[in-house]
Amino acid sequence: MEDSPLGLDKWLIAIWMIANCKNGVSSYEIHRAIGITQKSAWFLLQRIRLAMQTGSFEKMSGAVEIDETYVGGKARFMHRAKRAKLGSRGTSGKTIVLGVLDRTTRKVKAKVISSTKREVLTEEVKEVVETGFTVYTDAHSGYDLLTDEQYIHMVIDHAKAYVNGHISANGIENFWSLLKRALKGTYICIEPFHLFRYLDEQCFCFNHRKSNDGERFVFAASSLSGKRLTYKSLIGKEA
């Protein structure tokens, strides 16, 4: 908020709205609510999303659920030329997101990844989960190396069942449903370049879902200190 041309009253309203709207809040809604341009509202929201980053390097331990999802438009809604360029695979042209849910704390982390190859997924899991603990995944072959990395790997094959006793990935699947509800219902179209900021927002809201509105607002507002984002760096044009 330092040196911002917007008044503190506008900042506080925007922080309250983004922290407490379960399905997210669009820049057009902020534009109408506090009387600024849509462009300024979008920039304002992106700065608040920066504050919502956890910035924690602490690895998860205990039982965790791991899953990946794809974010992007459906081929049937695309122009014929774009469909032909992307090919026949439903995941072509989409952004891959990896999610990890700690079953003990019920906290989630999510990030954009480059591919679902075994080596990539294994390294990403090693970054956020302590070795020696139990990981629950679906039957995706990209997780096959986790056992070699000293994880207790429990697999649920979704072609056969979604739950087998305590083995499931339903917790992280629940987060995906909330994420996509916000992306499809509120934000509609997001550039892959900015997707990680919306992941930060949804992780923040999910991880603080047990807090009341006031507590979420205070936590988000207090996290703004020391986090600076210029418009040029936001759009990738900073010299």
Side-chain angles (χ1 to χ4, degrees):
M1 290 185 286
E2 182 182 356
D3 295 330
S4 173
L6 298 179
L8 184 61
D9 57 333
K10 298 185 185 300
W11 272 92
L12 295 180
I13 293 172
I15 295 169
W16 179 276
M17 292 178 70
I18 193 173
N20 294 313
C21 290
K22 186 175 182 180
N23 292 331
V25 57
S26 72
S27 57
Y28 275 96
E29 188 169 350
I30 296 294
H31 144 69
R32 291 190 297 268
I34 64 178
I36 60 177
T37 65
Q38 182 272 330
K39 182 178 178 180
S40 295
W42 180 75
F43 184 29
L44 174 62
L45 289 174
Q46 298 293 26
R47 285 186 281 181
I48 297 172
R49 291 185 182 107
L50 174 64
M52 289 178 164
Q53 288 181 356
T54 59
S56 173
F57 295 99
E58 184 178 349
K59 290 186 177 182
M60 292 182 175
S61 58
V64 299
E65 297 177 16
I66 303 171
D67 193 30
E68 80 291 335
T69 192
Y70 294 83
V71 176
K74 293 183 181 296
R76 68 174 180 269
F77 298 132
M78 297 178 184
H79 189 276
R80 181 170 54 188
K82 188 171 184 179
R83 287 202 304 270
K85 183 179 179 181
L86 292 177
S88 59
R89 288 192 62 198
T91 58
S92 297
K94 294 190 177 185
T95 305
I96 309 167
V97 178
L98 181 70
V100 183
L101 173 77
D102 189 320
R103 281 191 172 183
T104 303
T105 63
R106 308 306 296 179
K107 298 292 181 67
V108 70
K109 292 183 179 181
K111 66 176 294 187
V112 175
I113 59 175
S114 58
S115 78
T116 56
K117 293 181 179 179
R118 290 183 177 90
E119 296 76 12
V120 174
L121 287 176
T122 302
E123 288 303 313
E124 293 292 347
V125 172
K126 287 167 64 177
E127 281 188 13
V128 294
V129 183
E130 292 279 5
T131 56
F133 290 97
T134 304
V135 293
Y136 297 89
T137 73
D138 57 22
H140 192 293
S141 60
Y143 302 112
D144 289 349
L145 297 179
L146 292 179
T147 303
D148 298 338
E149 297 295 335
Q150 300 179 347
Y151 290 106
I152 304 170
H153 187 199
M154 310 296 286
V155 178
I156 183 71
D157 188 349
H158 288 165
K160 299 177 180 178
Y162 283 89
V163 180
N164 183 10
H166 64 283
I167 305 174
S168 78
N170 287 347
I172 189 64
E173 293 279 1
N174 174 54
F175 174 72
W176 292 146
S177 70
L178 296 173
L179 170 67
K180 293 191 175 182
R181 186 181 303 165
L183 296 181
K184 294 178 181 179
T186 302
Y187 299 122
I188 312 300
C189 182
I190 295 175
E191 289 292 332
F193 177 74
H194 295 297
L195 178 59
F196 74 97
R197 302 187 189 280
Y198 294 85
L199 295 178
D200 292 335
E201 174 198 338
Q202 290 301 308
C203 285
F204 174 90
C205 293
F206 185 88
N207 293 339
H208 293 86
R209 64 194 182 281
K210 298 296 184 182
S211 304
N212 60 42
D213 290 355
E215 290 169 341
R216 275 192 300 274
F217 167 75
V218 169
F219 193 89
S222 61
S223 300
L224 280 166
S225 177
K227 295 184 178 178
R228 179 174 172 81
L229 178 66
T230 64
Y231 189 78
K232 284 187 176 180
S233 64
L234 175 61
I235 62 175
K237 292 186 178 180
E238 192 168 54

